[in-house]
Amino acid sequence: MKLSRRQVLHGAAAAPLAAALPRFAVAELALGGATLRTVSDGHLTLPAEFIFGPMPQDALAPLRAEFGLTGPQLTPECNLALFEDGETRVLFDVGSGPDFMPSAGTITDSLAALGLSPEDITHVAFTHAHPDHIWGLLDDFGDPLFTQAQYFMGRREWDYWWNPETVTTIGEARAAFAVGARRRMEVIENSVTLFDDGAEILPGIAAMASFGHTPGHMSFEVRQGSDAALVIGDAIGNHHVAFRQPDWESGSDQDGATAAATRTALLDRLATEQMPFVGFHLPNGGIGRAARDGAGYRFIPGG
C-alpha cells in the first residue's frame, strides 16, 4: 500500500498533543566510565499500513492482536542516543525539529531537562537522513541548532540524498523527505565528515553498515574497554513484527528485501552476543537486548 505524505501528516495532526512522551532522558546504560542514554524527541503518529502494508495479512493479524496494534495508527517513540564520556557529547541523529509532526521535535526540552543545550553537543552522527532523524538540524527560524557540533554521515547516505535525481525517483510519498534532507545537508556541507563502513569516526565509535531502511543507513558500535553497545537507528524499526518476523518486508523501509536481510543478521548477532543496543523507535526509551523466541526474537527493555 502506498501512502502519500498528506495521509501520514494528517494522521499525525489528528493525534492529541497530550499524548506526547515526557521530554527528558528516558533510559541509560553505563559503558565503562561513559554513559549512553536516550533523550526523547516525542513520538510519531503513523498509519499502521505504512509499516504493515506489504506483510502477509493473515499471518500478521495474530501478532497485531498480541501487541495491541489493531487500531489504524501507530505511535512509535523517538529516542535519540546521547553518548557522554567527560570530553565529548555525541548525539546520534537530531530528531524531527518543528516542521515534521506536532507530536515530535522535543529534543531541546529533553536536553534542557539534563541541564544541557544544543550548544553543548560536540558531535552529531547520523544513522540516516529521514525527517525524524535530520530535520531537527534547524530551529524554528531555519537556523542551525547544534552550532558547536562536528557532523558525521555515511558517504553512501550522503550521496543518495545529495543526488538531485533522488527527489524524482524516491516516490511521491517521500519526495518531501528528499527536499527536506537536501536543504539541511546544504547547511552542514562544509562541516560534515563523510565515512564508510567500518570507519572509527571518533575514538571508541565505529560505523557499521546496516543498509536497507535507506540506501546508506549506518549503525554505530560504541565501545569503552570491554563494554559495548550498538546504536541501530531504524535498522530494527519496532518491537513487534521486526523481532518476531524479521524477514518480513516493512513498508517503512525504502529497500524492503535488503532491510529484512540486514535486520535478520543484526538480530542474530545481538541475540548471540547479548549486546545491548539503542533502537530509535523501540519502547521504554529504546535501550534493550534481543532474545531468541522460537523462530524469531523478542525485545527485552533495559541494558
Side-chain angles (χ1 to χ4, degrees):
M1 176 180 180
K2 291 186 177 180
L3 297 169
S4 69
R5 179 173 178 269
R6 178 175 296 178
Q7 286 175 288
V8 173
L9 296 184
H10 177 75
L17 295 183
L21 293 174
R23 299 174 178 180
F24 45 62
V26 290
E28 187 173 308
L29 180 68
L31 293 177
T35 301
L36 182 65
R37 73 180 84 208
T38 55
V39 287
S40 174
D41 195 51
H43 71 269
L44 302 183
T45 303
L46 302 169
E49 295 309 302
F50 182 67
I51 291 175
F52 296 145
M55 298 178 181
Q57 298 301 303
D58 289 345
L60 174 66
L63 278 178
R64 292 187 66 170
E66 178 184 349
F67 285 94
L69 304 171
T70 55
Q73 294 181 336
L74 301 174
T75 55
E77 296 180 16
C78 297
N79 299 302
L80 281 70
L82 175 65
F83 173 77
E84 299 176 272
D85 66 359
E87 297 182 2
T88 58
R89 240 180 231 112
V90 185
L91 189 64
F92 294 89
D93 299 323
V94 292
S96 294
D99 299 326
F100 187 47
M101 289 190 181
S103 59
T106 65
I107 182 59
T108 54
D109 295 318
S110 294
L111 289 174
L114 294 173
L116 301 174
S117 70
E119 291 79 11
D120 293 316
I121 301 301
T122 61
H123 303 82
V124 168
F126 292 104
T127 62
H128 64 296
H130 276 167
D132 50 328
H133 295 256
I134 195 173
W135 281 22
L137 200 60
L138 304 181
D139 64 16
D140 292 0
F141 303 99
D143 295 324
L145 187 61
F146 300 91
T147 55
Q148 303 304 307
Q150 300 177 41
Y151 300 97
F152 298 89
M153 185 182 288
R155 190 182 315 276
R156 183 167 174 173
E157 185 75 356
W158 180 277
D159 289 347
Y160 173 75
W161 296 101
W162 194 257
N163 186 340
E165 295 183 3
T166 294
V167 70
T168 59
T169 58
I170 196 173
E172 179 185 356
R174 289 185 168 100
F177 294 7
V179 173
R182 175 68 186 246
R183 177 188 170 205
R184 287 153 180 84
M185 290 162 63
E186 287 173 348
V187 172
I188 62 172
E189 179 184 5
N190 296 322
S191 56
V192 67
T193 297
L194 304 182
F195 59 87
D196 299 305
D197 180 28
E200 186 176 50
I201 63 168
L202 291 166
I205 301 179
M208 185 184 80
S210 47
F211 303 152
H213 182 68
T214 61
H217 187 287
M218 284 284 181
S219 298
F220 298 91
E221 181 177 306
V222 182
R223 183 172 294 277
Q224 294 283 297
S226 61
D227 295 333
L230 278 179
V231 177
I232 62 173
D234 286 359
I236 304 174
N238 59 69
H239 68 294
H240 33 84
V241 291
F243 280 78
R244 292 293 186 85
Q245 297 288 345
D247 58 328
W248 285 0
E249 294 188 19
S250 170
S252 64
D253 296 326
Q254 290 186 225
D255 182 341
T258 298
T262 292
R263 186 163 50 245
T264 301
L266 184 56
L267 279 166
D268 179 69
R269 177 188 174 187
L270 291 170
T272 299
E273 298 182 12
Q274 277 301 289
M275 181 184 292
F277 56 90
V278 183
F280 193 89
H281 292 304
L282 299 182
N284 301 105
I287 293 179
R289 296 177 188 262
R292 299 186 191 279
D293 188 359
Y297 303 85
R298 56 191 168 89
F299 175 62
I300 302 176

